[in-house]
Amino acid sequence: MRVVVQRVSEASVIIQNEEVASIGNGLLVLLGVVNEDSAEDIDWLCKKIVNLRIFPDEKGVMNTSILDADGDIIVVSQFTLHASTKKGNRPSYIKAAKPDIAIPLYEKFVERLNADIDKPIQTGEFGADMKVHLVNDGPVTIIIDSKNRE
């Protein structure tokens, strides 16, 4: 499981000209799933995300988490995070999990993250053509792969 975590001052998701998610201060999390991912990956990643100290403290130092900042989160599925670009110029997405595997893991990820921050997580729509708007604050962008834990 791979995520791109972006600290944002605002973010939104639009599907077919309708805004389906919108937050102010918080995190935009892009999530990619592979066939080998499991509940263990979800648990590890969610714990890592909610405890990342990437928000400024009273001295302006990145030393507080999303929990401390009382921010919101949008999670967007993004199979292209597992693109392989080794051969040629057209990325291969063969490593990305198919919907029958990815959707349940995506939903469990959102449920777990929601439980961890104890506030509603907003989402895009799995497999939809989404327009994601964001103002990256900092900019702060962190890439985390659950297969690189050690």
Side-chain angles (χ1 to χ4, degrees), residues 50-92:
V50 300
N51 290 297
L52 274 177
R53 296 181 349 190
I54 59 173
F55 289 87
D57 63 13
E58 63 280 347
K59 295 179 183 174
V61 176
M62 284 198 296
N63 201 29
T64 61
S65 70
I66 187 76
L67 299 170
D68 301 319
D70 194 32
D72 294 311
I73 299 177
I74 294 179
V75 177
V76 174
S77 63
Q78 188 158 1
F79 74 95
T80 60
L81 291 180
H82 289 287
S84 173
T85 57
K86 286 184 179 181
K87 292 184 180 177
N89 295 316
R90 183 175 183 195
S92 169

